[in-house]
Amino acid sequence: MTVDYLIVGQGLCGSLLIHELIDRDKSFCVIDPNPSNSSSRVAAGIINPITGRSYVKSWMYDTLLEFLLERYQQISQRIGKEILTQRSIVRTLEDVKSENNWHSRSGDENYTEFMDHFEISKAQESLFEKSLAYGLIKKAFQLNLNSLLDGTRAILQDDQIISEYFEYEKLRIKSDHLDYKNLRAGKVIYCEGSQILNNPWFNSLDFRPSKGEILLVRIPKFDFPHQLRHQFFIAHYRDDLYWIGASYINNFKHLKNTPSEYFKLTDWLDDYLQCDYEVVQHLSGVRPATKHRRPMIGQHPEYSQMFVLNGMGAKGSSLAPYWTRQLVLSLEEGQKLGDEVKLVFQSH
């Protein structure tokens, strides 16, 4: 079978790439084993315009917001599932300095549409440990990543998806195409997240993967419509299930769940929540983060048929729609990709 594109990986980036190629009537085949512990499967899909202790606007958010709203709506219509929910974030302000910084930033005319003060109700006060004050982050969203991935996979034809791990040694690079087993493709695009570290052509990219562990917990009496940001996030998952996390582990030796991270999260819940909860599942995944905290997108310096779409990190749900489109515009229309997402290889 001959296709225009071979896509390796069907996480967030791979799924968005599929929709871009469908829009352009391009032929493709996806190779992905559908692992349950991929970073896209484990992530909460939080889209947060205000980040960090200085309460600054996320990189490119004004540009990203308009694009992601339209794109996720289009995909929702195609797969028949609503995948994006507007859900503001309540952020705890633990001390006077934090409260003053919040009020100062929220008074900036460039931030007023995203930030406000939040008054907690008496009923909500009984749910968790009281903070000095609370800030409200507006124009925040939550992406249902599992619905996006499952819905995208469901619309593919049998010959468009191969449910297996990619075998790098089976790829044959020719002058104007690539052969992989019984497939012939014009180009291959690697959207494989942290698996890029095993890719013989791109494993020297300067990735700094970060392991995250989370809990899914049942909190029947947690009647709070917002995402809550304290030391960790409490984000709605479905029904009375909530996503708790995530931890950041930069130096990790394995991908398994670790008891120390489990107890770090449950100890925090014990101290912070004022209502009963039940741990349903403990999950872990590896974020495809980069040293410079920017995506890495582009063409291999030696093999012109090979491309990478990766490095979205913890902001993937907001970054990936826009930058996937930019890659496709580069491939199909010759538009130049910005230097901010250029491939950065490790120096030896």
Side-chain angles (χ1 to χ4, degrees):
M1 184 172 75
T2 300
V3 295
D4 295 317
Y5 292 95
L6 179 62
I7 303 172
V8 180
Q10 194 242 319
L12 174 59
C13 287
S15 295
L16 291 167
L17 181 57
I18 287 168
H19 290 283
E20 291 289 340
L21 297 179
I22 290 174
D23 288 345
R24 291 176 174 267
D25 199 27
K26 294 294 177 180
S27 59
F28 60 86
C29 183
V30 184
I31 299 176
D32 178 83
N34 202 18
S36 61
N37 66 338
S38 71
S39 59
S40 295
R41 290 284 183 188
V42 175
I46 295 168
I47 297 175
N48 182 5
I50 304 297
T51 187
R53 296 178 182 178
S54 299
Y55 312 131
V56 296
K57 199 180 297 184
S58 296
W59 179 58
M60 288 187 63
Y61 197 76
D62 291 324
T63 299
L64 299 174
L65 178 59
E66 182 178 359
F67 189 88
L68 71 86
L69 290 176
E70 180 180 6
R71 194 60 183 136
Y72 285 138
Q73 180 59 33
Q74 292 167 343
I75 293 173
S76 291
Q77 292 173 354
R78 175 175 284 152
I79 67 176
K81 296 182 179 183
E82 288 296 330
I83 59 174
L84 189 68
T85 303
Q86 184 161 4
R87 188 168 280 136
S88 56
I89 298 169
V90 171
R91 182 156 179 171
T92 60
L93 306 174
E94 295 298 297
D95 50 49
V96 172
K97 181 180 178 181
S98 297
E99 185 180 19
N100 288 340
N101 288 344
W102 183 271
H103 284 301
S104 175
R105 183 71 75 185
S106 62
D108 185 325
E109 62 180 12
N110 294 314
Y111 282 78
T112 53
E113 65 177 309
F114 297 105
M115 300 174 67
D116 204 348
H117 184 67
F118 182 78
E119 291 291 343
I120 195 165
S121 70
K122 289 290 185 183
Q124 292 168 343
E125 246 181 19
S126 67
L127 298 175
F128 42 80
E129 184 182 81
K130 187 177 180 180
S131 293
L132 174 66
Y134 301 88
L136 181 69
I137 301 176
K138 302 177 287 185
K139 294 192 175 181
F141 299 83
Q142 189 173 14
L143 176 66
N144 189 326
L145 280 154
N146 282 290
S147 289
L148 168 61
L149 270 58
D150 292 339
T152 299
R153 205 174 186 95
I155 66 171
L156 299 180
Q157 302 297 319
D158 289 345
D159 62 355
Q160 290 180 312
I161 181 77
I162 299 174
S163 297
E164 64 182 32
Y165 285 98
F166 187 76
E167 299 177 64
Y168 301 104
E169 69 277 7
K170 298 289 179 67
L171 187 70
R172 300 290 179 263
I173 304 170
K174 307 296 183 179
S175 60
D176 61 350
H177 68 275
L178 306 114
D179 290 330
Y180 179 77
K181 298 184 178 180
N182 63 339
L183 286 170
R184 174 164 294 188
K187 297 177 177 65
V188 58
I189 304 176
Y190 293 103
C191 310
E192 51 192 341
S194 61
Q195 287 296 316
I196 196 77
L197 298 175
N198 299 318
N199 187 313
W201 298 283
F202 289 105
N203 59 7
S204 60
L205 285 171
D206 200 4
F207 277 93
R208 303 296 170 90
S210 172
K211 184 183 178 186
E213 300 197 27
I214 66 103
L215 299 178
L216 292 180
V217 303
R218 180 168 284 111
I219 320 176
K221 296 182 180 179
F222 195 74
D223 185 17
F224 194 74
H226 311 280
Q227 301 175 90
L228 181 62
R229 177 72 168 91
H230 183 53
Q231 179 182 349
F232 296 105
F233 262 103
I234 301 178
H236 186 255
Y237 188 70
R238 66 170 182 268
D239 302 325
D240 60 356
L241 281 180
Y242 291 82
W243 184 99
I244 312 296
S247 62
Y248 281 81
I249 311 164
N250 294 322
N251 298 311
F252 56 94
K253 297 180 180 179
H254 58 76
L255 304 181
K256 298 177 183 178
N257 298 335
T258 52
S260 61
E261 295 303 309
Y262 175 90
F263 289 115
K264 180 189 294 184
L265 292 168
T266 55
D267 286 349
W268 176 74
L269 283 170
D270 291 340
D271 290 340
Y272 188 62
L273 279 187
Q274 305 297 318
C275 50
D276 293 334
Y277 71 90
E278 173 195 359
V279 176
V280 175
Q281 200 169 7
H282 179 197
L283 299 169
S284 60
V286 179
R287 307 174 187 89
T290 63
K291 179 182 179 181
H292 56 298
R293 297 186 179 181
R294 296 288 183 264
M296 285 203 212
I297 306 168
Q299 186 180 50
H300 192 277
E302 183 177 352
Y303 302 110
S304 61
Q305 309 97 317
M306 305 178 78
F307 296 81
V308 65
L309 174 62
N310 208 322
M312 303 296 166
K315 304 283 186 190
S317 295
S318 56
L319 289 169
Y322 177 84
W323 285 109
T324 302
R325 172 68 59 81
Q326 300 313 301
L327 174 61
V328 172
L329 288 173
S330 173
L331 293 169
E332 293 294 320
E333 300 181 18
Q335 179 174 300
K336 187 179 183 299
L337 282 166
D339 287 342
E340 60 267 50
V341 297
K342 68 181 179 181
L343 303 188
V344 178
F345 291 86
Q346 298 177 30
S347 56
H348 298 285

